[in-house]
């Protein structure tokens, strides 16, 4: 019953900005780490940005200084502000929630993905 729904993707020109959002239902996110990942066709899924339950963040080298990840535990949401977008950022972006459930089992939830296309 846990569901992650991404939104905010679309078509933007190089140098433009987009803000992706992820809304989680069926589980509180406060105890879990979260992140944004992207996967181009025929490529492995790569980490874009992560944020721990305590708010610590990590970014892929390719997006440092351009992307900002944030979370709002009260709203059960996570966002990715993407600035100075490049054509190389074009792909599908996925929301992820992971960690240990209160009953001790690992969880790893994924959204359906949202398409980001950056034109040159």
């Amino acid at each position: 019953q846990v569901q992650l729904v991404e939104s905010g993707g679309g078509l933007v020109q190089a140098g433009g900005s987009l803000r992706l959002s992820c809304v989680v239902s069926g589980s509180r996110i406060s105890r879990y780490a979260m992140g944004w990942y992207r996967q181009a066709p025929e490529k492995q899924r790569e980490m874009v940005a992560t944020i721990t339950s305590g708010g610590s963040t990590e970014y892929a080298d390719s997006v440092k200084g351009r992307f900002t990840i944030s979370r709002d535990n009260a709203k059960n949401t996570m966002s990715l502000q993407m600035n100075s977008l490049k054509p190389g950022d074009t792909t599908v972006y996925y929301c992820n929630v992971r960690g240990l459930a209160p009953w001790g089992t690992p969880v790893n939830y994924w959204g359906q993905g949202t398409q980001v296309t950056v034109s040159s």
Side-chain angles (χ1 to χ4, degrees):
Q1 294 185 1
V2 177
Q3 188 174 20
L4 284 61
V5 179
E6 301 98 332
S7 63
L11 174 64
V12 65
Q13 291 185 336
S17 298
L18 287 172
R19 187 171 187 268
L20 307 183
S21 295
C22 174
V23 180
V24 181
S25 61
S27 178
R28 302 303 303 174
I29 67 170
S30 59
R31 76 190 323 272
Y32 298 116
M34 303 183 70
W36 289 96
Y37 296 75
R38 63 189 183 187
Q39 185 172 21
E42 309 300 325
K43 297 288 187 178
Q44 291 186 330
R45 188 166 298 185
E46 68 169 333
M47 185 273 288
V48 177
T50 60
I51 183 167
T52 69
S53 60
S56 298
T57 59
E58 296 287 345
Y59 297 91
D61 289 342
S62 60
V63 308
K64 284 181 179 177
R66 301 188 297 122
F67 292 7
T68 303
I69 188 172
S70 62
R71 65 191 294 161
D72 189 335
N73 290 340
K75 296 181 179 179
N76 234 46
T77 61
M78 177 182 64
S79 297
L80 183 68
Q81 179 65 47
M82 305 186 294
N83 298 325
S84 302
L85 283 162
K86 305 174 181 180
D89 298 320
T90 296
T91 190
V92 179
Y93 286 72
Y94 297 89
C95 176
N96 173 253
V97 176
R98 66 180 62 183
L100 288 178
W103 51 92
T105 59
V107 300
N108 190 12
Y109 303 125
W110 293 94
Q112 82 289 345
T114 185
Q115 176 70 47
V116 171
T117 303
V118 184
S119 63
S120 60

